[in-house]
Amino acid sequence: MPHDSENLPLSGLRVVEVSSFVASPLCGLTLAQLGAEVIRVDPLGGAADHTRLPTAGNGTSIYWTGLNRGKQSVACDMRSPEGQRMIQRLITAPGDGGGILVTNAGGRKWLGHDVLERIRPDVITLEILGRRDGTPGVDYTVNAAVGFPFLTGPADYPEPINHTLPAWDIACGFYAAFALTAAVLHRTKTGAGTHITLPLENIALSLAGTLGYLTEVQVNGTERPRTGNDVYGTYGTDFVAADGSRFMIVALTPRHFRGLVAATGTAATVEALESALGADFTQDADRFRYRDVLTALFADWFAQHTADRITSALRECGVLHERYRTFIETSASPDVQDNPLFAELDQAGVGNYLAAGTAALFDNRHLHCGGAPELGQDTTDTLTRVTGVPESEITDLVEAGVLGSAAQG
């Protein structure tokens, strides 16, 4: 159901989401957590992501329910003219906060901005594309095309390695939420709608340029090396403790590096190294250049101490550090169990678990939006309320197979 509170930042907005997978649903989830009414529209039986892994024991997708918390669900045969017209009416229904579409279902003319604009001139549409020319692309193919797999993995490994986090999808989802909010502000000031296209490829290329990966090639003609777990451009790497625990250490500033030297009791040796090498370890470049020598020096101290002793010493000396943990360990840790970011959620088909709210705190509180709906759960109520179409007409379309409802199974 719609948010009841009028105090949430985006309360009063109504967003229709025709989407699947990560970027577009994450945009909708972000807006829902901030108070927007988000209506996800799926084809009958669900989109391609409706049963995506991981799943609960009964087959319910943990992935799908996680990305669609706080939304309403409308199911529709979007190949039928009647279904298309109903979704158009849903998107373009009157009201100051309505007339907003986010989708990654490209190539559907009936969802095009020019078509919707003729029905509601101030409509805002955001279409997430794969590649900038409109051809398909997903996080993993975009990532392959940009270059990051050749920087990921061990320094001496010659083949590309994909990272597991769909970073471009995530960045795209958040950017999409920001772009839609900007368009809403623009409409509030001018009364004009906006047609936004957001290629996933552009997200990756933009950030690769902003962070210097592309710029250094253009300016210097060189490409940064693959460095494994070593942090590029400063000093940071992983160490193994006496009990087998592994730590990630980052000496991002001279102060952090002095703390690491103090914790490991290597001040005299480090000073001698600086003198012998003609190095200045207050400089990022020298800490990075001589990282192998420094790592060999520090590794001996880590190998002689347990994880608890290492944690205590590094914390006392102000060193940026963390012990590597599995998801099982993280889930059981106070970072999850005692963190107000998470709230207990009883999700239909999944069970009880701790679900994250907004990462940001608004007036010292995280915002939570409730669980995900069943597919088609809100078809009749939402379409009747938003479009003004009589319930009897909606019921007839459900019986005709144009619309779907949770009651149909």
Side-chain angles (χ1 to χ4, degrees):
M1 293 300 294
H3 288 279
D4 295 323
S5 174
E6 296 181 357
N7 297 321
L8 297 174
L10 298 183
S11 180
L13 288 187
R14 184 177 64 246
V15 178
V16 177
E17 175 196 315
V18 183
S19 67
S20 57
F21 297 107
V22 179
S24 189
L26 180 59
C27 170
L29 172 62
T30 303
L31 297 170
Q33 288 179 323
L34 293 171
E37 176 187 358
V38 179
I39 304 166
R40 170 154 173 165
V41 180
D42 278 289
L44 300 178
D49 61 340
H50 187 241
T51 58
R52 194 179 187 195
L53 297 176
T55 58
N58 62 1
T60 300
S61 173
I62 295 171
Y63 167 94
W64 192 91
T65 54
L67 280 166
N68 291 288
R69 288 176 286 128
K71 302 177 186 178
Q72 299 163 56
S73 174
V74 169
C76 175
D77 178 5
M78 288 184 277
R79 293 171 297 181
S80 70
E82 298 89 346
Q84 293 173 5
R85 284 194 293 270
M86 187 59 67
I87 301 310
Q88 287 175 338
R89 292 184 68 170
L90 180 64
I91 296 166
T92 60
D96 291 341
I100 304 171
L101 169 68
V102 57
T103 184
N104 66 336
R108 301 184 182 188
K109 292 184 178 179
W110 62 275
L111 277 182
H113 183 83
D114 57 338
V115 173
L116 298 174
E117 188 179 37
R118 288 196 289 269
I119 306 171
R120 177 167 176 161
D122 68 346
V123 71
I124 296 169
T125 61
L126 186 148
E127 183 180 5
I128 294 175
L129 308 175
R131 298 175 62 86
R132 66 188 185 280
D133 62 2
T135 56
V138 295
D139 187 286
Y140 303 101
T141 59
V142 165
N143 192 54
V146 173
F148 284 94
F150 282 105
L151 299 185
T152 305
D156 58 353
Y157 190 76
E159 306 299 329
I161 295 179
N162 294 332
H163 53 74
T164 59
L165 183 72
W168 309 124
D169 275 338
I170 293 169
C172 186
F174 289 143
Y175 195 98
F178 164 73
L180 275 175
T181 305
V184 170
L185 290 173
H186 177 70
R187 185 171 71 180
T188 300
K189 291 188 295 184
T190 67
T194 305
H195 178 204
I196 305 166
T197 55
L198 179 58
L200 187 65
E201 178 186 40
N202 281 3
I203 291 289
L205 289 171
S206 172
L207 290 172
T210 299
L211 297 176
Y213 292 93
L214 300 179
T215 308
E216 66 179 319
V217 175
Q218 298 171 54
V219 173
N220 298 331
T222 58
E223 185 173 35
R224 69 184 61 186
R226 191 178 226 155
T227 60
N229 283 346
D230 293 346
V231 178
Y232 176 78
T234 187
Y235 185 75
T237 193
D238 62 317
F239 293 96
V240 181
D243 56 9
S245 301
R246 189 175 288 268
F247 284 80
M248 183 64 195
I249 310 298
V250 181
L252 195 60
T253 68
R255 179 177 63 82
H256 295 142
F257 186 75
R258 289 194 300 271
L260 178 59
V261 170
T264 56
T266 55
T269 307
V270 168
E271 186 177 347
L273 276 174
E274 276 189 304
S275 178
L277 297 170
D280 178 1
F281 291 145
T282 66
Q283 301 299 310
D284 281 340
D286 279 359
R287 294 197 300 276
F288 179 70
R289 182 177 298 113
Y290 297 110
R291 62 190 183 280
D292 290 340
V293 177
L294 292 169
T295 297
L297 173 63
F298 299 141
D300 185 58
W301 179 84
F302 282 90
Q304 294 179 33
H305 295 86
T306 65
D308 288 345
R309 172 66 185 123
I310 290 169
T311 299
S312 175
L314 295 179
R315 184 178 295 137
E316 182 179 342
C317 294
V319 181
L320 296 172
H321 70 283
E322 190 54 78
R323 185 175 67 84
Y324 282 89
R325 296 188 295 199
T326 65
F327 282 118
I328 292 176
E329 292 173 309
T330 300
S331 183
S333 74
D335 290 340
V336 173
Q337 297 296 322
D338 301 332
N339 189 341
L341 168 65
F342 295 91
E344 188 170 315
L345 177 65
D346 187 6
Q347 174 62 55
V350 174
N352 286 286
Y353 72 99
L354 294 175
T358 55
L361 285 82
F362 291 80
D363 294 326
N364 205 34
R365 67 188 180 111
H366 298 281
L367 305 180
H368 297 270
C369 64
E374 294 183 58
L375 187 69
Q377 171 181 308
D378 307 291
T379 298
T380 300
D381 290 344
T382 296
L383 290 177
T384 301
R385 173 177 54 83
V386 176
T387 68
V389 174
E391 184 175 343
S392 59
E393 185 176 334
I394 301 296
T395 301
D396 289 344
L397 290 173
V398 171
E399 292 176 354
V402 174
L403 301 174
S405 68
Q408 292 175 315

